[in-house]
Amino acid sequence: MIDLRSDTVTRPSREMLEAMLSARVGDDVFQDDPTAIALEDKAARLFGKEAALFCPSGTMTNQIAINVYTRPGDEVICHRDAHVYYYEGGAMMRNSGVSVCLLEGARGHVSPEEVFTHINNPEDIHRPITSLVEVENTMNKRGGTIYRYEDLASISEICQNHALKFHLDGARLFNALAETGEQPEKYAKLFDSVSICLSKGLGAPIGSLLIGDRTFIKKARRVRKALGGAMRQVGYLAAAGIYALDNNIDRLKQDNDRAHCLGKTLETLPFIESVIPVESNIVIFTLRKKDGARGFLKALKENDIHALPIDPQTIRFVTHLDFTDSMLIKVESMLKTLSF
Ligand SMILES: *Cc1c(COP(=O)(O)O)cnc(C)c1O
């Protein structure tokens, strides 16, 4: 089976499983788990921040950050297609009672100008208080697009000038850094907090990390508990995370390269209308045929290739560490034989 549905489908390698088997563990709710602590310390150091918190999912790390930074009724500025808004089950409204200011920026990116013009005047009692700006890099729903560092630096400055918090949903941040060559600690300086997923391109079975300063992480630990995300002998999972950070960052460039190849091939096919220019490991393309997605995915499935629709005419492929060069060749030759 060739699975292009998501980079979350990866299975732990034998080496990762061995690291998990030999993990030293304790009760992490008592902050007694040495492996969880080692993972959190490692992540904090990697990003040049004071502390980190291991959580079951990226939804939880994002939602904890939103909860810590806001009060009910406050407003969060993010893109209309941001994962925190679009793909997290309404969690920020539900758990934190916030309102959102949804921006429309191109490629799924919010621009410094747009952020600036949408900050509410805190003296105007008619308007909710803007307290947080959130960005996503890479940007999932718009095809894994990568922010320009200068734009993020400008937004960061605007946030500082207006006493707003700035959170990065970096579920696939390392796919972006693999392209731009920027260092995590330089990047993290722009943000109050960073969320990264271990269970996507990095290949761990479970887990995300929330990274920030000590005071923030202390508050985050309380919110994680309240959301039911404090776990016990979690070192078995943290060991997979340590393995992932040690071994699976450098290889992400391969995933991006394979996605570029898929994008190039798709552009040549007569039944494809357009492909969003590939920037990392996500390929989003639109078929010429309206409502063509179902039939197209069925044809792929008959060849044991699996992908997901974004809408009735649009498909997403995501490359990952269990998608090899030989699979790439198979998918490309299969696509070329399709008459659709
Ligand atoms: C996957 C993802 C998350 C977190 O998803 P979980 O399934 O909750 O771990 C957050 N943001 C983005 C952009 C994602 O793609």
Side-chain angles (χ1 to χ4, degrees):
M1 163 167 172
I2 297 178
D3 201 341
L4 291 166
R5 288 175 302 168
S6 175
D7 46 8
T8 55
V9 300
T10 56
R11 309 284 168 87
S13 62
R14 170 168 296 280
E15 293 77 16
M16 182 180 276
L17 286 169
E18 275 161 10
M20 295 168 76
L21 266 177
S22 55
R24 289 196 303 132
V25 299
D27 189 323
D28 189 50
V29 180
F30 300 152
Q31 290 184 242
D32 257 358
D33 187 296
T35 311
I37 292 168
L39 171 62
E40 290 168 347
D41 286 349
K42 188 181 183 65
R45 252 181 288 119
L46 180 60
F47 283 89
K49 295 272 192 209
E50 288 174 356
L53 189 69
F54 182 67
C55 292
S57 72
T59 298
M60 191 179 283
T61 47
N62 282 334
Q63 293 300 326
I64 288 174
I66 292 166
N67 192 267
V68 170
Y69 292 140
T70 61
R71 292 168 50 126
D74 284 1
E75 193 154 276
V76 176
I77 295 179
C78 65
H79 195 276
R80 160 168 75 88
D81 290 328
H83 197 280
V84 289
Y85 171 73
Y86 194 90
Y87 285 130
E88 297 187 4
M92 66 167 132
M93 291 64 87
R94 184 179 183 131
N95 296 330
S96 299
V98 290
S99 71
V100 283
C101 172
L102 301 175
L103 304 184
E104 300 275 344
R107 297 159 69 240
H109 296 187
V110 301
S111 70
E113 297 74 26
E114 269 189 304
V115 168
F116 180 78
T117 54
H118 287 85
I119 299 169
N120 294 332
N121 173 4
E123 299 304 319
D124 181 353
I125 59 164
H126 299 87
R127 309 287 298 136
I129 291 174
T130 306
S131 48
L132 172 64
V133 177
E134 186 271 354
V135 293
E136 185 176 314
N137 199 22
T138 66
M139 212 292 167
N140 181 349
K141 194 164 182 284
R142 293 295 189 87
T145 51
I146 300 173
Y147 266 91
R148 277 165 23 109
Y149 179 85
E150 297 72 31
D151 288 340
L152 294 175
S154 303
I155 298 172
S156 177
E157 203 182 320
I158 292 166
C159 288
Q160 276 169 36
N161 292 342
H162 292 80
L164 307 180
K165 298 296 183 187
F166 193 23
H167 173 71
L168 170 66
D169 178 353
R172 297 187 181 82
L173 176 63
F174 286 112
N175 289 87
L177 300 185
E179 291 303 310
T180 63
E182 271 135 16
Q183 293 305 307
E185 66 268 31
K186 178 183 166 203
Y187 223 79
K189 277 200 175 67
L190 302 177
F191 301 94
D192 295 288
S193 54
V194 175
S195 161
I196 62 161
C197 283
L198 298 165
S199 59
K200 294 191 170 156
L202 293 177
I206 295 171
S208 287
L209 285 158
L210 182 60
I211 302 149
D213 68 30
R214 213 169 276 118
T215 321
F216 167 75
I217 292 297
K218 189 169 178 216
K219 291 178 186 162
R221 193 178 292 280
R222 171 172 284 276
V223 177
R224 184 185 68 174
K225 181 67 188 163
L227 292 175
M231 300 179 286
R232 302 294 175 172
Q233 284 72 34
V234 76
Y236 293 117
L237 298 176
I242 292 173
Y243 183 90
L245 292 177
D246 282 340
N247 296 282
N248 291 345
I249 292 179
D250 290 343
R251 57 155 308 287
L252 287 170
K253 182 82 175 81
Q254 296 174 34
D255 296 344
N256 294 351
D257 291 347
R258 289 183 187 120
H260 276 100
C261 291
L262 283 171
K264 284 218 179 70
T265 301
L266 287 163
E267 277 168 10
T268 66
L269 301 175
F271 53 87
I272 306 279
E273 185 172 283
S274 61
V275 183
I276 295 179
V278 176
E279 296 186 22
S280 58
N281 72 325
I282 298 178
V283 189
I284 292 180
F285 55 98
T286 303
L287 302 162
R288 283 200 199 284
K289 197 166 156 189
K290 298 246 177 303
D291 301 321
R294 265 179 72 176
F296 178 80
L297 289 172
K298 192 161 163 263
L300 290 190
K301 216 170 184 172
E302 278 157 12
N303 291 275
D304 216 9
I305 299 166
H306 301 258
L308 286 178
I310 298 271
D311 67 41
Q313 204 177 349
T314 309
I315 311 283
R316 186 185 80 163
F317 286 167
V318 187
T319 59
H320 50 75
L321 93 175
D322 289 342
F323 178 71
T324 60
D325 272 333
S326 65
M327 291 177 179
L328 172 65
I329 291 165
K330 201 176 151 202
V331 171
E332 290 187 322
S333 55
M334 188 267 156
L335 285 169
K336 285 175 191 162
T337 62
L338 269 187
S339 56
F340 189 76

